[in-house]
Amino acid sequence: TQTRRHSFIASLLGIKHVIVAVNKMDLVDYSQEVFDQIVVDYSAFAARLELGDIRFLPLSALQGDNVVSQSTNMPWYQGATLMHLLENVHIASDLNLIDFRLPVQYVNRPDSNFRGYCGTIASGIVRPGDEIMVLPSQKTSRVKEILTFDGALDEATSPLAVTLTLADELDISRGDILVHPNNRPLESQSFEAMVVWMNEDSMRPGKQYIMKHATLKTPGVITAVRYRMDINTLHREAAAQLELNEIGRCVFVLENPIAFDPYRKNRATGSFIIIDRLSNNTVGAGMIIDRVPEKTLQERISAQVEGQQSNHIRHIRQET
């Protein structure tokens, strides 16, 4: 069950490379048949997940088999050791170098002669002279300099922390996102997301939470749970709320619009955390799927309001 859960979460998080390390092979006399059956069983389960690069590895951590050195107890396995796989997995092609996104973390203005916008590049490439747009204001300017602790750069990419200076003085603050005007993210107050609930108190639709998206915090509500995932079967189940460690697809409505990408396209601008307003604890993590059509959104909000009014009237009648 734990392996299925972790695999589903890895798929949900968009992790592209997975090593299935089958440990404790010493307990089954290093049997190839046992290992092969585990490979077959896991492959059948993983076929329903979005896991691209899967490597299977038999090992015994206690005895050191296939951890750092090749095992003499399993001559039937001719693949790489765990350490070799970890050190040589190719991840350069996984970076998003197309969609420039820089969530502004801090505006550095030590005096009237300097104004720099600091943050970690979430994706894409930026160069001096590039035209950039500030969201949500949609004001534009050009990059004057890219500054770091080690000096100015001719270009910068993810995940470098930089300070950008612009040709114009714009009203930019923490929570804004800098992008290229011809490559903009989505902007909306509503969206759907897969949520991993991480709190003992149930997630309650209609309750106000704080959503932290990139460097921006904004109040919002979960208006509905579309479905809950059964981790073992990967079937979708009807649910009114989510409990601790449950995963489901939910509808969100925020007080303020945010600029975001679908999580599959950009992890940094497609993810967020859910914070309880009273305790300030992180209670959930979300991965944005898409926007909710405005008509559908209004229908859901109206239905929710009508439902709350009906419950209130029913409660009053019961008391009287």
Side-chain angles (χ1 to χ4, degrees):
T1 300
Q2 186 184 62
T3 300
R4 291 172 182 267
R5 177 178 177 79
H6 289 174
S7 299
F8 179 78
I9 293 176
S11 173
L12 194 64
L13 292 175
I15 293 174
K16 300 180 184 297
H17 310 278
V18 174
I19 300 173
V20 181
V22 183
N23 193 22
K24 304 183 187 297
M25 289 299 296
D26 54 303
L27 298 183
V28 293
D29 297 325
Y30 301 101
S31 169
Q32 182 178 1
E33 289 74 20
V34 172
F35 175 76
D36 288 344
Q37 186 58 53
I38 291 174
V39 171
V40 170
D41 293 343
Y42 184 88
S43 298
F45 173 77
R48 294 174 288 171
L49 303 176
E50 295 184 23
L51 298 176
D53 178 22
I54 304 177
R55 311 289 182 91
F56 294 93
L57 169 69
L59 58 81
S60 169
L62 181 64
Q63 304 298 331
D65 293 284
N66 287 333
V67 178
V68 177
S69 304
Q70 202 77 30
S71 172
T72 58
N73 294 312
M74 292 177 281
W76 45 267
Y77 175 75
Q78 298 298 314
T81 63
L82 177 61
M83 187 62 68
H84 183 274
L85 289 175
L86 291 173
E87 290 182 340
N88 292 277
V89 61
H90 181 71
I91 60 173
S93 60
D94 300 337
L95 296 176
N96 182 344
L97 302 178
I98 299 174
D99 308 306
F100 173 63
R101 308 283 188 262
L102 175 60
V104 177
Q105 182 175 357
Y106 175 69
V107 179
N108 184 10
R109 194 170 187 187
D111 54 56
S112 59
N113 297 320
F114 182 87
R115 182 183 296 203
Y117 306 101
C118 312
T120 299
I121 299 175
S123 61
I125 301 174
V126 64
R127 300 178 178 88
D130 282 0
E131 185 180 12
I132 61 103
M133 174 179 284
V134 183
L135 296 178
S137 70
Q138 298 187 8
K139 296 178 180 179
T140 60
S141 183
R142 290 195 177 273
V143 177
K144 184 178 179 181
E145 287 184 301
I146 304 173
L147 304 176
T148 68
F149 181 80
D150 298 319
L153 301 178
D154 293 329
E155 71 172 29
T157 185
S158 171
L160 193 63
V162 298
T163 297
L164 298 187
T165 62
L166 305 180
D168 306 284
E169 287 197 8
L170 302 181
D171 184 13
I172 302 175
S173 59
R174 177 183 172 89
D176 292 346
I177 295 183
L178 306 183
V179 304
H180 287 144
N182 58 351
N183 185 338
R184 295 164 56 180
L186 302 170
E187 294 181 80
S188 179
Q189 288 179 258
S190 59
F191 53 82
E192 294 193 12
M194 295 299 295
V195 174
V196 180
W197 196 251
M198 304 183 297
N199 194 262
E200 292 183 354
D201 293 334
S202 303
M203 181 273 288
R204 290 186 291 152
K207 177 181 176 180
Q208 277 218 339
Y209 296 96
I210 298 294
M211 314 300 173
K212 185 178 185 300
H213 172 261
T215 55
L216 176 69
K217 288 184 178 180
T218 182
V221 297
I222 302 166
T223 61
V225 179
R226 291 282 302 277
Y227 57 78
R228 177 178 57 210
M229 292 296 303
D230 184 313
I231 301 301
N232 293 312
T233 64
L234 297 185
H235 291 160
R236 300 174 180 181
E237 303 174 341
Q241 59 190 27
L242 296 181
E243 306 294 339
L244 176 65
N245 291 331
E246 290 187 338
I247 300 172
R249 179 166 175 165
C250 303
V251 181
F252 288 80
V253 178
L254 310 183
E255 284 192 10
N256 303 297
I258 61 172
F260 63 88
D261 297 286
Y263 183 82
R264 292 294 180 188
K265 182 179 181 181
N266 193 315
R267 295 187 192 183
T269 56
S271 61
F272 61 96
I273 61 173
I274 306 169
I275 301 171
D276 186 90
R277 298 185 64 154
L278 296 179
S279 66
N280 207 36
N281 292 331
T282 298
V283 294
M287 289 133 282
I288 299 174
I289 300 173
D290 52 28
R291 279 183 293 184
V292 180
E294 292 301 324
K295 183 178 179 181
T296 305
L297 172 63
Q298 293 301 326
E299 290 174 352
R300 287 176 180 166
I301 293 176
S302 298
Q304 183 184 21
V305 171
E306 290 175 3
Q308 291 174 346
Q309 291 175 343
S310 298
N311 290 336
H312 183 63
I313 293 172
R314 190 181 303 112
H315 182 69
I316 292 175
R317 287 175 176 173
Q318 289 175 350
E319 288 183 346
T320 56

